[in-house]
Amino acid sequence: MSLFGQHRSFLDALTAQDRRALLAEGAPRSYRPGEVMIRERDTTTYVLALLSGWAVVSVETERAARLILAVRGAGEVVGDLAAVDQGPRSATVTALSRVDAVSVSGGRFRGFLAARPHATSLIMRQLSARLRSADSERRSLASATVLQRLAARLAELAERAGRKEDGGTVVELPLPQHDLAAAIGATREAVAKALRQLREDGVVRTANRRVTVVDMRALFHLAQGRGLPVGRPSRKPPPTV
């Protein structure tokens, strides 16, 4: 399962000439943190090419709960499915931080793809990767524990959006605990319990909207359901007095 898109974003995979041509088709837009950029079930078809910031893709479940499907960053496009098939929006996209983007109408985006087979191939690969990720997510929800799913999410966040510092890898994506819960299909209480276990085992440290992964190897072991590595030195924080 993966919150992120492919390692090389759509805009980065385009030639410089095609990238300029696509951005010239649209108009600049800026979004505040928490602002809805695309709304699920809307019939709009514009595409947003993200230039900076982070956005989260989510859906509402039958129980009115929110399930986070993906996090999208600079270089990626969102809204492309509705632009291609002209059907209702399949998900909501919300700005996590300030987001600068270029909005391209569905018609112009389809015209851009029609004139550039390479760009069409990139979009098809992107849609295929998302479908595979969705299949993997369904398997995970059916078989993996909350601790496994949380460990996998934190490992991915650290690899894709983390910053190396002394003592670990720092993740400062603005994902509060309820969003972490929505990203793994669990309750906030279950995530709080799993985070507490990770802290007590010395795998992570947490602060307000900040997670530091102290032991990446242990996190990968837990994500795979293998428990903590055998012979691992104790990294539990010292008891308070």
Side-chain angles (χ1 to χ4, degrees), residues 4-218:
F4 295 86
Q6 301 173 79
H7 280 271
R8 195 176 187 199
S9 71
F10 178 75
L11 292 185
D12 287 340
L14 292 175
T15 65
Q17 181 179 357
D18 284 348
R19 186 163 55 250
R20 287 193 298 269
L22 174 61
L23 297 180
E25 292 284 352
R29 292 288 309 272
S30 294
Y31 298 90
R32 302 181 305 275
E35 186 174 357
V36 172
M37 303 159 61
I38 291 172
R39 193 175 298 278
E40 186 179 1
R41 292 185 290 276
D42 272 1
T43 56
T44 55
T45 61
Y46 60 86
V47 170
L48 293 174
L50 308 185
L51 303 181
S52 67
W54 292 98
V56 64
V57 182
S58 65
V59 294
E60 284 191 11
T61 68
E62 292 179 356
R63 297 181 180 179
R66 181 169 176 250
L67 180 63
I68 290 178
L69 303 178
V71 174
R72 300 289 179 234
E76 300 190 80
V77 296
V78 293
D80 46 298
L81 180 59
V84 171
D85 70 9
Q86 301 181 64
R89 298 290 193 185
S90 61
T92 294
V93 182
T94 308
L96 274 177
S97 59
R98 176 189 165 88
V99 173
D100 293 314
V102 171
S103 177
V104 180
S105 72
R108 287 180 178 272
F109 187 69
R110 289 191 298 275
F112 172 83
L113 295 180
R116 296 166 177 83
H118 174 62
T120 301
S121 175
L122 291 174
I123 283 293
M124 295 305 296
R125 253 184 278 170
Q126 177 172 282
L127 294 175
S128 176
R130 291 175 184 174
L131 179 60
R132 289 179 183 276
S133 180
D135 289 342
S136 176
E137 180 71 12
R138 282 194 291 271
R139 285 195 297 270
S140 175
L141 287 172
S143 60
T145 66
V146 171
L147 180 61
Q148 280 179 263
R149 301 202 302 273
L150 179 62
R153 283 291 188 242
L154 292 177
E156 182 185 25
L157 287 167
E159 283 195 313
R160 297 293 296 272
R163 183 182 71 255
K164 298 288 186 181
E165 286 189 1
D166 289 342
T169 302
V170 178
V171 179
E172 287 185 311
L173 268 181
L175 280 172
Q177 208 167 93
H178 63 268
D179 275 352
L180 277 177
I184 65 170
T187 65
R188 183 172 181 173
E189 292 75 18
V191 167
K193 181 179 179 182
L195 275 174
R196 183 168 60 250
Q197 181 176 336
L198 291 174
R199 285 195 302 268
E200 291 174 352
D201 287 333
V203 179
V204 304
R205 295 194 304 269
T206 61
N208 185 33
R209 300 198 180 191
R210 174 185 171 117
V211 176
T212 301
V213 178
V214 178
D215 191 336
M216 185 67 81
R217 178 168 170 260

